[in-house]
Amino acid sequence: MRPPEIRIRFAPELHPLLSARRRAEGAVAAVDGVSTLGHVVESCGTPLTEVGALTADGRPVAFSYVPRGGESVEVAAVTRPQRVPGAPLRFLLDVHLGTLARRLRLLGVDAAYESEDIGDSALAARSAAERRVLLSRDRGLLRRREIWAGGFVYSDRPDEQLRDVLGRFAPPLAPWTRCTACNGELESVGKDEVAAGLDGGTRRTYDVFARCTRCDRVYWRGAHSDHLETIVAGALAEFGDSRR
């Protein structure tokens, strides 16, 4: 005898996480009277970090709901902008998202980043300990229960990744206030304070400097500033300057 089954339909926003068949037809999943709906949804390939409301036969239900055979389940995506209560909004990015981390920092967003692969367990533990939203393209990592909060990064292109994160979480933007190398905060410094560490051309050409309060790296508007200005201007134009 076949076990009882439920039919699950996913919101279009979640389709990139599904097989082509499940996108078109929905998923059919066996139920055992013990496993929660959250577990069943994740078994279809969708981390619960990406799921908003759930309904079973039109009734709102929780992730912990145990479905019964014959039910029809609808899975909504998270509502945007997504609010993450309980801590200041800040992020932790895995080893594959270095460019995204630097661009978030350029915009003044607190974005911790592991440049070496420290393992899923350590990443999840840091997310919980520091109450950071863990960003990753690894669905298995985002299924770990100990993470504080998480978000799947849908694209592998840095421009699209940045727009996705800014549109989803709406972090406050404060460009040019954070070190892109270490995530520390920048402070304005006089030219005479940093002159000894500058080459002759930089000393002659630039007068405005900032220094990281954590790693002492010195910043000025140099040869790459046009590209960085374009990133900043685009983000502010689309997502606004939240300091206003």
Side-chain angles (χ1 to χ4, degrees):
M1 174 181 273
R2 294 180 61 182
E5 297 176 331
I6 60 173
R7 179 167 292 278
I8 309 173
R9 296 197 69 86
F10 292 84
E13 296 91 335
L14 301 175
H15 284 185
L17 300 169
L18 305 173
S19 67
R21 179 179 60 80
R22 285 174 171 163
R23 293 175 197 173
E25 303 174 7
V28 175
V31 294
D32 56 13
V34 176
S35 299
T36 66
L37 184 55
H39 174 80
V40 175
V41 167
E42 282 196 320
S43 72
C44 295
T46 303
L48 296 185
T49 58
E50 307 311 296
V51 175
L54 294 174
T55 62
D57 287 343
R59 321 183 304 279
V61 294
F63 293 157
S64 59
Y65 174 73
V66 178
R68 300 186 296 270
E71 289 183 314
S72 179
V73 172
E74 298 282 341
V75 181
V78 292
T79 301
R80 297 188 176 214
Q82 180 181 354
R83 303 304 179 189
V84 182
L89 182 59
R90 50 190 183 174
F91 299 96
L92 172 63
L93 289 78
D94 73 13
V95 67
H96 303 292
L97 298 175
T99 299
L100 175 60
R102 289 187 291 274
R103 292 188 179 191
L104 288 169
R105 293 169 178 176
L106 174 67
L107 296 169
V109 177
D110 189 337
Y113 165 66
E114 294 291 347
S115 59
E116 297 181 0
D117 189 353
I118 63 173
D120 289 2
S121 179
L123 276 171
R126 183 176 180 186
S127 168
E130 299 180 11
R131 296 189 172 187
R132 291 180 177 273
V133 178
L134 180 58
L135 300 178
S136 179
R137 286 181 49 77
D138 182 344
R139 284 181 276 181
L141 172 57
L142 294 174
R143 291 178 64 175
R144 298 187 72 98
R145 292 293 177 258
E146 63 268 37
I147 68 174
W148 168 251
F152 182 75
V153 178
Y154 286 80
S155 176
D156 58 4
R157 297 171 59 87
D159 290 347
E160 295 173 359
Q161 291 174 347
L162 183 63
R163 292 186 68 253
D164 183 23
V165 172
L166 296 182
R168 175 171 176 173
F169 294 101
L173 303 183
W176 315 107
T177 62
R178 195 169 287 276
C179 178
T180 57
C182 80
N183 199 42
E185 295 182 349
L186 301 183
E187 62 178 1
S188 297
V189 291
K191 186 174 183 177
D192 57 334
E193 296 179 68
V194 296
L198 304 176
D199 63 39
T202 300
R203 282 197 303 270
R204 290 190 299 272
T205 306
Y206 301 100
D207 296 306
V208 178
F209 296 89
R211 181 170 56 199
C212 178
T213 58
R214 181 184 298 174
C215 72
D216 289 331
R217 184 184 180 99
V218 177
Y219 288 84
W220 62 94
R221 302 291 178 90
H224 301 293
S225 63
D226 287 349
H227 174 60
L228 301 181
E229 290 277 9
T230 298
I231 294 172
V232 169
L236 293 181
E238 185 168 3
F239 300 102
D241 186 343
S242 58
R243 294 173 297 168
R244 293 174 183 170

